[in-house]
Amino acid sequence: MSVQTIDLLKEELPVHQESLHLTGDTKTGLVLVDVVNGFCTVGAGNLAPRQPDKQISEMVDESVRLARVFCDRKWPVFAFLDSHHPDIPEPPYPPHCIVGTEESELVPALKWLENEGNVTLRRKDCIDGFLGSVEEDGSNVFINWVQSNQIKVILVVGICTDICVLDFVCTTLSARNRRLLAPLEDVIVYSRGCATFDLPVDVAKTAKDVVAHPQELMHHIGLYIAKGRGAKVVSEVSLNTKNP
């Protein structure tokens, strides 16, 4: 898809993006969606990039930057890790992020999160992390995290913008509107902290039952839909230089 076509679609479907400055005055939690090898590390699996990808690399860098700041300040962090049982498929996708493999592990730059006391890790076996947080007894790990930390704002980063990130954001907004997530007020999606995969039209045409997925366009559409559902979208996130 040409740059001109994508630019035209962005003009027709604009996404107004703000800047976010975190001061610590409002209780904010960071949510990382599936920043795992199977989606981010070159050659790591069926759904991993085949070659270095600028958008995915920037997403990982921004996720690491924010995770460092949140952990330095002991602010709450919630990280989803896509993890599937080998005998339970997730159509239309090929097998990926099988539990117990490196695919389902955090990227190397984020492995340190496993040792941080302010971090909650949640392995999920479905696209939507909100649904993937439901326990056998009906409780929800994500809801409990929001309520136990009295979080009013969540800042969302991760992959894929238009799939796992979007589904999680939309369900969370619906739950917020139903008063299931009090005291949560705002869901903020950081555009540079999100990414999606690239499957150009010309490549998709050569394969059977494959849907084209132009990266830049689908990233934009994911942000557009999230904004339309009530999320805030920001293109910059800054923080105070000193710890409180």
Side-chain angles (χ1 to χ4, degrees), residues 53-60 161 194-196 215-216 219:
D53 184 286
K54 181 180 178 181
Q55 189 184 92
I56 293 175
S57 294
E58 181 177 31
M59 176 274 297
V60 171
T161 317
C194 292
T196 193
Q215 183 183 54
E216 187 61 31
H219 175 68

Side-chain angles (χ1 to χ4, degrees), residues 66-229:
L66 291 173
R68 287 285 185 194
V69 173
F70 271 69
C71 287
D72 285 348
R73 300 177 180 216
K74 304 303 179 186
W75 292 352
V77 176
F78 194 103
F80 288 111
L81 290 78
D82 206 51
S83 303
H84 296 276
H85 192 280
D87 297 329
I88 303 177
E90 187 181 45
Y93 305 106
H96 62 281
C97 300
I98 302 302
V99 65
T101 70
E102 284 299 310
E103 281 190 59
S104 66
E105 298 299 321
L106 289 167
V107 296
L110 284 173
K111 283 290 287 182
W112 56 273
L113 285 177
E114 297 174 356
N115 300 315
E116 297 292 323
N118 62 306
V119 176
T120 298
L121 301 177
R122 176 65 181 184
R123 294 191 178 275
K124 65 180 182 68
D125 60 357
C126 61
I127 294 172
D128 187 336
F130 191 98
L131 296 180
S133 295
V134 177
E135 298 279 47
E136 291 185 1
D137 62 3
S139 63
N140 187 295
V141 176
F142 175 71
I143 292 177
N144 293 343
W145 176 76
V146 169
Q147 294 179 339
S148 64
N149 288 287
Q150 288 294 288
I151 294 171
K152 291 189 175 182
V153 175
I154 59 169
L155 176 61
V156 184
V157 298
I159 190 169
C160 292
T161 317
D162 56 314
I163 306 174
C164 293
V165 172
L166 180 62
D167 279 21
F168 166 72
V169 166
C170 289
T171 306
T172 298
L173 288 165
S174 293
R176 178 204 64 181
N177 293 345
R178 289 292 308 276
R179 305 295 189 269
L180 300 178
L181 278 169
L184 185 69
E185 297 174 358
D186 289 321
V187 176
I188 302 176
V189 179
Y190 177 30
S191 61
R192 290 175 52 224
C194 292
T196 193
F197 68 94
D198 190 31
L199 182 60
V201 175
D202 58 331
V203 175
K205 287 180 178 178
T206 65
K208 183 180 179 181
D209 298 327
V210 174
V211 177
H213 192 275
Q215 183 183 54
E216 187 61 31
L217 176 60
M218 297 310 296
H219 175 68
H220 180 80
I221 287 176
L223 298 174
Y224 178 83
I225 295 175
K227 179 88 171 179
R229 296 290 176 84

Side-chain angles (χ1 to χ4, degrees), residues 18-88:
E18 306 171 18
S19 296
L20 175 67
H21 182 70
L22 298 174
T23 64
D25 294 335
T26 301
K27 193 62 176 292
T28 302
L30 176 66
V31 177
L32 299 105
V33 179
D34 294 341
V35 191
V36 296
N37 291 312
F39 297 143
C40 305
T41 301
V42 173
N46 288 327
L47 297 184
R50 294 290 182 261
Q51 58 191 15
D53 184 286
K54 181 180 178 181
Q55 189 184 92
I56 293 175
S57 294
E58 181 177 31
M59 176 274 297
V60 171
D61 290 345
E62 287 301 297
S63 296
V64 173
R65 177 178 73 89
L66 291 173
R68 287 285 185 194
V69 173
F70 271 69
C71 287
D72 285 348
R73 300 177 180 216
K74 304 303 179 186
W75 292 352
V77 176
F78 194 103
F80 288 111
L81 290 78
D82 206 51
S83 303
H84 296 276
H85 192 280
D87 297 329
I88 303 177

